[in-house]
Amino acid sequence: QVRLVESGGGSVQAGGSRRLSCVYTSTAYCMGWFRQAPGKDREGVAAICRRTYYADSVEGRFTISQDNAKNTLYLQMNSLKPEDTAMYYCAARKDVLVLGSALNPSKYDSWGQGTQVTVSS
């Protein structure tokens, strides 16, 4: 399994920006960011599996990137909205993934502990 440690969460006003970081112990076929708001299911936000994938709700506002030299995955979040408030998790999947499943949380086998992002209006 891959060990993952997220950081960068906090409170921000609507329209602001935040960058999340996730340090990992080894590379994987897919790495992604997921989020879970209270009372809601965990959902995929962005992933890198040989190419990038984004949820419709964040397309154009969030950018996922990876620096393998630093073993770090990033999520740059711009134009934040109150509905972006959630616990954000970094995840990894070692094995090849079928195209179209990159944002499905059930396909990932290693998870970080999460970092909270709160966006106030």
Side-chain angles (χ1 to χ4, degrees):
Q1 277 203 341
V2 180
R3 285 194 63 194
L4 306 154
V5 179
E6 304 97 332
S7 62
S11 297
V12 61
Q13 289 194 327
S17 298
R18 200 84 186 179
R19 188 176 80 159
L20 304 182
S21 300
C22 171
V23 178
Y24 48 87
T25 54
S26 60
T27 57
Y29 184 82
C30 284
M31 297 203 68
W33 287 98
F34 299 80
R35 67 187 181 187
Q36 188 166 18
K40 294 188 176 181
D41 292 336
R42 191 169 296 189
E43 63 175 357
V45 174
I48 294 179
C49 305
R50 300 296 186 265
R51 51 154 285 195
T52 56
Y53 299 83
Y54 294 96
D56 290 345
S57 59
V58 306
E59 182 85 52
R61 300 189 298 122
F62 291 11
T63 302
I64 188 172
S65 62
Q66 188 173 16
D67 185 340
N68 283 328
K70 296 182 178 180
N71 277 18
T72 304
L73 183 74
Y74 300 100
L75 183 68
Q76 177 66 43
M77 305 184 294
N78 299 327
S79 302
L80 282 161
K81 304 175 181 180
E83 51 263 45
D84 294 318
T85 295
M87 184 71 80
Y88 283 73
Y89 298 91
C90 174
R93 176 185 169 94
K94 277 287 198 180
D95 296 330
V96 173
L97 187 64
V98 173
L99 291 178
S101 301
L103 296 179
N104 184 341
S106 70
K107 302 299 183 182
Y108 287 74
D109 39 48
S110 298
W111 292 85
Q113 83 289 350
T115 185
Q116 177 70 35
V117 174
T118 302
V119 184
S120 59
S121 57

